[in-house]
């Protein structure tokens, strides 16, 4: 199931309130300042009417001019302060959303990540959360303050002249009908525009993740077309959303211009008949001008809400992906902790419901301490054994036990704190060499780091690097060789002092000298720790205390090298061909 197929959640306005609730007092302060700004603005037409009345009767107008100047200055100062408070609050909302979403994405189940595009998830935490800024200020506050200011303005207009108010409201009602047709189009276009941004991010992440392969294959132009097509689709949908937003804004502006002309004509007629005086008409026209601001604010709030609702929907889709429970990191095993035992009991597993089974009733037991090697043809399910032990996935049926306890009964931090895991491709993160070594044990002291660096034969590398352990290794460790990355991964796992060490072809990229040295290191570790190894080299397999032979998702034999060569034809064939060829 992809992200787009997740179920519909609560309405967008409820989600917005959830993000805003921690900042409600700052938001209310900004809204109050905006309302006071609107109130000072509403007083200006009334002061202008009195000023015109005194001017027509040859009375002094100095007091009114001073009052009007004071209102203008106060309006500007309060408006600037209110705008800052609201913008700061909006940035705080975005920060909160990014924190919660990034924390959640880090806890995603591996199965959920397998079904998602990392680039699309990145877009949700960057561009989608950014849109919450506009939703908070322009939509939520804009709708509230703009709506209240609009109501207050209409009330004041009614007090000045009810007839002209009726004329104005008739024009506005017509514009409202048109807006009701436009707004749903904004929502759909905004959602499609954000989806297109996610597709573009996914395409870019896919290409950058294999850029060397793309260049070596001469595929830059083909991949460039893919990126451009995604960018153009994002552009088309964004332009579509902009078109409907512009239509909404212009409809409001046109309605106010028509209202002004209509009021001017109807008001002029009423002045000519003596129903109202010129000062009243001028005051009403000023109110019409003033009405434009809250109307545009309300229309802008509605359009921004549609854009924000689309972004919030995408954020919530990510937040509904299956995730592991939040928990504090568990303490690592102490020095000399007892090694762990592992057992699989009739385990069946597949990576997705539409994919074939990888394990068809896998059963084996590994006692505490010693080294166990897993061998078998490609696709036999060896790496999947490690993924199930780490609980990256859960078996569909059967039981996996650690120390005799079902893994389902372990809390994840406690389980993983007991395990050191070296993946097949030995990933290295961007940052310094020290950052990578301390990834699994940030509290390790310099003595422990130095000891592991020497054990894994990284000391020569460290001495050559310009800044030693603090040298940056580049994106995905591109400044290191494949063998160096494997040794970094092994050192990182050993620093965790694991009770169970999982090595998935951890020496496949090492030369013979370093492979032999690390083989001796693993043999030494196996005296105090349980070590499970997926291996293809005969030299590694023959030193194991026991060997588990897997084929087509089943365990076909368990024994020592000598026993299996005599008893299992598949193992004998592998030992005579694959192992010997690889070792040679």
């Amino acid at each position: 199931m992809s992200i787009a197929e997740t179920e519909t959640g609560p309405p967008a306005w409820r989600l917005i309130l959830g993000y805003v609730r921690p900042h409600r007092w700052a938001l209310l302060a900004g809204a109050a300042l905006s309302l006071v700004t609107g109130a000072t603005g509403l007083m200006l037409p009334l002061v202008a009417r009195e000023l015109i009345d005194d001017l027509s009767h040859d009375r002094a107008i100095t007091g009114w001019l001073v009052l009007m100047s004071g209102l203008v200055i106060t309006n500007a100062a309060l408006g600037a302060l209110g705008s800052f408070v609201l913008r700061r609050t909006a940035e705080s909302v975005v920060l909160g959303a990014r924190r919660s979403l990034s924390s959640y994405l880090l806890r995603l189940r591996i199965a959920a990540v397998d079904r998602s595009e990392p680039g699309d998830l990145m877009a949700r935490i960057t561009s989608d959360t950014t849109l919450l800024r506009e939703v908070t200020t322009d939509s939520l506050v804009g709708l509230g303050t703009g709506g209240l200011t609009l109501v207050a303005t209409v009330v004041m207009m009614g007090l000045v002249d009810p007839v002209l108010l009726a004329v104005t409201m008739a024009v506005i009602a017509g514009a409202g009908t048109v807006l009701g047709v436009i707004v749903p189009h904004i929502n759909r276009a905004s959602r499609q525009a954000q989806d297109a941004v996610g597709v573009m991010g996914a395409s870019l992440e896919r290409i950058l993740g294999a850029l060397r392969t793309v260049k070596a294959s001469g595929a830059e132009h083909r991949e460039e077309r893919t990126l451009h097509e995604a960018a153009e689709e994002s552009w088309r949908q964004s332009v579509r959303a902009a078109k409907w937003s512009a239509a909404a804004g212009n409809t409001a502006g046109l309605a106010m211009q028509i209202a002004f002309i209509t009021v001017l004509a109807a008001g002029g007629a009423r002045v000519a008949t003596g129903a109202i005086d010129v000062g009243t008409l001028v005051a009403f026209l000023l109110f019409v001008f003033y009405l434009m601001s809250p109307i545009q604010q309300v229309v802008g709030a509605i359009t921004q809400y549609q854009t924000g609702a689309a972004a919030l929907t995408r954020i919530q889709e990510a937040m509904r992906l299956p995730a592991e429970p939040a928990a504090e990191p568990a303490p690592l095993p102490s020095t000399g902790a007892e090694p762990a035992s592992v057992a699989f009991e009739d385990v069946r597993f597949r990576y997705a419901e539409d994919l074939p089974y990888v394990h068809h009733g896998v059963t084996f037991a590994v006692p505490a301490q010693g080294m166990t090697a897993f061998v078998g043809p490609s696709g036999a399910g060896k790496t999947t054994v490690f993924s199930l032990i780490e609980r990256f996935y859960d078996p569909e049926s059967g039981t996996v036990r650690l120390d005799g306890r079902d893994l389902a009964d372990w809390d994840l931090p406690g389980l993983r704190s007991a395990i050191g895991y070296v993946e097949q491709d030995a990933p290295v993160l961007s940052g310094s060499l020290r950052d990578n070594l301390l990834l699994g044990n940030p509290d390790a002291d310099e003595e422990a780091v130095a000891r592991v660096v020497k054990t894994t034969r990284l000391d020569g590398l460290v001495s050559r690097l310009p800044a030693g352990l603090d040298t940056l290794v580049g994106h995905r460790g591109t400044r290191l060789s494949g063998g160096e990355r494997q040794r970094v991964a092994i050192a990182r796992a050993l620093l965790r002092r694991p009770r169970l060490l999982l090595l998935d072809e951890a020496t496949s990229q090492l030369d013979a000298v370093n492979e032999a040295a690390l083989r001796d290191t693993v043999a030494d570790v196996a005296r105090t720790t349980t070590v499970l190894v997926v291996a293809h080299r005969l030299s590694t397999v023959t030193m194991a205390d026991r060997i588990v032979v897997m084929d087509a998702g089943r365990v076909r034999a368990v024994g020592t090298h000598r026993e299996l060569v005599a008893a299992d034809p598949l193992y004998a064939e592998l030992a005579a061909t694959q192992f010997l060829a690889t070792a040679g």
Side-chain angles (χ1 to χ4, degrees):
M1 182 175 65
S2 66
I3 293 180
E5 297 169 341
T6 52
E7 59 184 273
T8 303
W13 63 266
R14 188 175 296 172
L15 297 174
I16 293 173
L17 291 178
Y19 283 111
V20 165
R21 190 171 292 112
H23 313 282
R24 57 187 179 276
W25 297 116
L27 197 66
L28 287 173
L33 287 169
S34 297
L35 286 174
V36 173
T37 302
T40 57
L42 280 175
M43 293 175 65
L44 284 171
L46 299 178
V47 173
R49 182 174 67 173
E50 296 301 322
L51 187 148
I52 292 172
D53 186 56
D54 284 354
L55 194 62
S56 63
H57 291 87
D58 293 325
R59 291 195 291 263
I61 60 171
T62 304
W64 295 118
L65 285 174
V66 171
L67 179 57
M68 183 174 286
S69 299
L71 287 173
V72 170
I73 294 172
T74 302
N75 185 273
L78 291 177
L81 180 59
S83 177
F84 169 74
V85 171
L86 290 176
R87 290 292 170 181
R88 186 180 185 280
T89 305
E91 293 295 343
S92 299
V93 171
V94 172
L95 174 62
R98 284 176 175 165
R99 280 177 170 173
S100 61
L101 183 55
S102 60
S103 297
Y104 191 85
L105 292 182
L106 285 174
R107 298 198 309 273
L108 285 183
R109 298 301 302 266
I110 296 297
V113 177
D114 290 343
R115 296 192 296 268
S116 307
E117 291 285 354
D120 184 52
L121 294 176
M122 290 166 57
R124 292 170 195 253
I125 204 172
T126 52
S127 62
D128 287 345
T129 54
T130 300
L131 291 176
L132 291 180
R133 181 188 301 121
E134 282 71 28
V135 174
T136 304
T137 54
D138 296 344
S139 182
L140 190 62
V141 175
L143 192 61
T145 59
L148 288 174
T149 305
L150 180 62
V151 171
T153 306
V154 169
V155 171
M156 298 296 290
M157 292 170 75
L159 294 175
V160 172
D161 191 86
V163 175
L164 293 181
L165 174 62
V167 172
T168 305
M169 296 308 294
V171 176
I172 293 174
T177 303
V178 175
L179 289 174
V181 176
I182 293 174
V183 164
H185 291 282
I186 297 174
N187 183 287
R188 284 194 295 272
S190 298
R191 172 60 194 269
Q192 290 167 352
Q194 288 303 110
D195 285 343
V197 170
V199 171
M200 185 172 63
S203 299
L204 184 60
E205 192 275 338
R206 165 181 166 271
I207 294 167
L208 293 180
L211 190 57
R212 295 186 182 191
T213 301
V214 170
K215 288 181 177 294
S217 304
E220 294 99 326
H221 291 298
R222 292 195 299 276
E223 297 300 335
E224 183 181 44
R225 283 197 300 272
T226 301
L227 268 180
H228 287 184
E229 288 171 1
E232 287 166 6
E233 178 63 19
S234 175
W235 175 83
R236 279 192 294 271
Q237 298 302 338
S238 296
V239 168
R240 185 165 161 242
K243 176 185 70 176
W244 289 111
S245 296
N250 285 332
T251 297
L254 179 62
M256 295 316 301
Q257 292 176 17
I258 295 173
F260 178 80
I261 295 171
T262 306
V263 166
L264 185 61
R270 287 175 64 73
V271 169
T273 59
I276 57 174
D277 55 31
V278 174
T280 300
L281 177 59
V282 170
F284 198 92
L285 288 173
L286 287 175
F287 274 124
V288 172
F289 271 119
Y290 193 79
L291 195 64
M292 292 179 67
S293 177
I295 285 181
Q296 289 179 336
Q297 196 174 9
V298 169
V299 171
I302 294 173
T303 56
Q304 287 293 344
Y305 175 81
Q306 301 306 316
T307 303
L312 278 167
T313 299
R314 285 172 46 82
I315 292 172
Q316 289 306 117
E317 285 175 351
M319 296 284 281
R320 286 195 297 271
L321 290 173
E324 297 168 351
E328 291 296 321
L332 296 177
S334 59
T335 304
E338 291 295 320
S341 63
V342 179
F344 274 53
E345 300 172 3
D346 195 28
V347 171
R348 290 174 56 83
F349 172 77
R350 54 183 171 178
Y351 285 98
E353 292 183 359
D354 56 344
L355 294 177
Y357 281 94
V358 179
H359 283 176
H360 303 269
V362 170
T363 299
F364 65 85
V366 175
Q369 197 171 323
M371 176 177 168
T372 300
F374 289 79
V375 301
S378 177
K382 304 181 295 295
T383 296
T384 303
V385 168
F386 289 4
S387 296
L388 292 174
I389 292 173
E390 281 274 12
R391 278 201 70 191
F392 295 149
Y393 308 92
D394 291 323
E396 190 169 299
S397 63
T399 306
V400 181
R401 298 185 186 277
L402 186 75
D403 288 341
R405 288 174 57 195
D406 189 335
L407 292 191
D409 298 331
W410 285 76
D411 67 285
L412 282 175
L415 171 68
R416 290 174 183 162
S417 68
I419 302 173
Y421 180 37
V422 180
E423 299 177 58
Q424 189 170 355
D425 56 354
V428 173
L429 280 66
S430 177
S432 70
L433 182 57
R434 186 188 302 276
D435 292 337
N436 275 277
L437 293 176
L438 296 178
L439 185 67
N441 184 7
D443 298 324
D445 56 32
E446 288 296 323
E447 182 181 349
V449 173
R451 184 169 58 251
V452 167
V453 165
K454 185 176 181 179
T455 299
T456 54
R457 290 206 168 190
L458 284 170
D459 47 351
L461 169 67
V462 173
S463 65
R464 294 194 306 271
L465 293 175
L469 287 173
D470 296 314
T471 302
L472 299 179
V473 297
H475 178 61
R476 298 188 179 181
T478 51
R479 296 183 182 180
L480 304 178
S481 69
E484 289 167 345
R485 287 197 294 272
Q486 282 196 321
R487 279 180 278 158
V488 169
I490 294 170
R492 184 168 56 207
L494 292 178
L495 266 178
R496 288 173 62 80
R497 303 187 301 270
R499 299 173 55 221
L500 173 64
L501 181 61
L502 309 178
L503 302 175
D504 192 353
E505 299 190 46
T507 60
S508 60
Q509 298 187 53
L510 299 183
D511 55 53
V513 174
N514 282 313
E515 194 267 340
L518 281 175
R519 188 172 65 242
D520 294 339
T521 297
V522 171
D524 185 55
V525 171
R527 295 189 181 98
T528 57
T529 302
T530 306
V531 180
L532 306 186
V533 180
V534 172
H536 287 140
R537 292 187 177 181
L538 185 65
S539 56
T540 303
V541 174
T542 54
M543 64 182 287
D545 299 300
R546 70 199 57 79
I547 301 167
V548 178
V549 184
M550 298 189 68
D551 183 30
R554 291 182 172 86
V555 174
R556 56 178 291 146
V558 178
T560 64
H561 172 68
R562 182 170 296 180
E563 292 169 348
L564 291 173
V565 166
D568 187 73
L570 174 62
Y571 182 82
E573 180 183 352
L574 291 172
T577 56
Q578 181 181 356
F579 291 149
L580 289 175
T582 306

